[in-house]
Amino acid sequence: MKLTIKHLASALFILVASATVNARPIVLPDPATSTSETGTFTISAKNEITLNGSHVSLTTSLPSSGDIATGSARFMSGDLQYHDGSTSVDGKMAKVTFGSQTKTGQVTYLLKGLIYGTLNQDGKTIDVNGNFAVSTKPAPEGTELSQAQVDSSHLILTICSNINNTVPAK
């Protein structure tokens, strides 16, 4: 039996489509609830970014390229924790991008990337992966990241495995 590229492409499409259908995205914080974000950024002497926030706390690795002072940097990894009172995530970050945008005399900072780790919810521990983003409120141009106020944080996660009822939440 000959397999053509068309058959292989069809099989791959079906496999990817079925995996996507079975994925259950989890958005944190829950968009149906009204939340207020707070947090403080600090930058180490080695240009590592740390955020201690009301929902999200994170620490990046050393920058792999760019410079925080210029408003653009990339980080290979880091740690991220999320906690809203009933749900928590303990994860590792990858492919983290830091950027700034200036419009009409206002600067906004954004930190985004990939996350993988564990979600603890309702006494269950679930392996998850996905994306995260943290942005700041617009501030007057020239405001440094360490002086900016957190505006929002979002995690969009996908379950990697079945719920494990035998592992207690931390």
Side-chain angles (χ1 to χ4, degrees), residues 41 49 51 58 60 75 93 96-99 109-113 132-135:
F41 287 99
I49 298 174
L51 167 63
L58 60 83
T60 67
F75 305 86
M93 300 183 301
V96 180
T97 302
F98 166 75
Y109 294 102
L110 175 68
L111 197 61
K112 65 180 182 171
F132 77 91
V134 177
S135 62

Side-chain angles (χ1 to χ4, degrees), residues 128-168:
V128 293
N129 63 25
N131 299 295
F132 77 91
V134 177
S135 62
T136 64
K137 294 178 181 177
E141 190 173 352
T143 301
E144 295 181 9
L145 176 63
S146 60
Q147 300 166 333
Q149 296 179 357
V150 173
D151 184 35
S152 67
S153 62
H154 301 284
L155 282 73
I156 301 174
L157 306 171
T158 303
I159 295 174
C160 297
S161 66
N162 294 330
I163 296 173
N164 184 350
N165 293 320
T166 61
V167 179

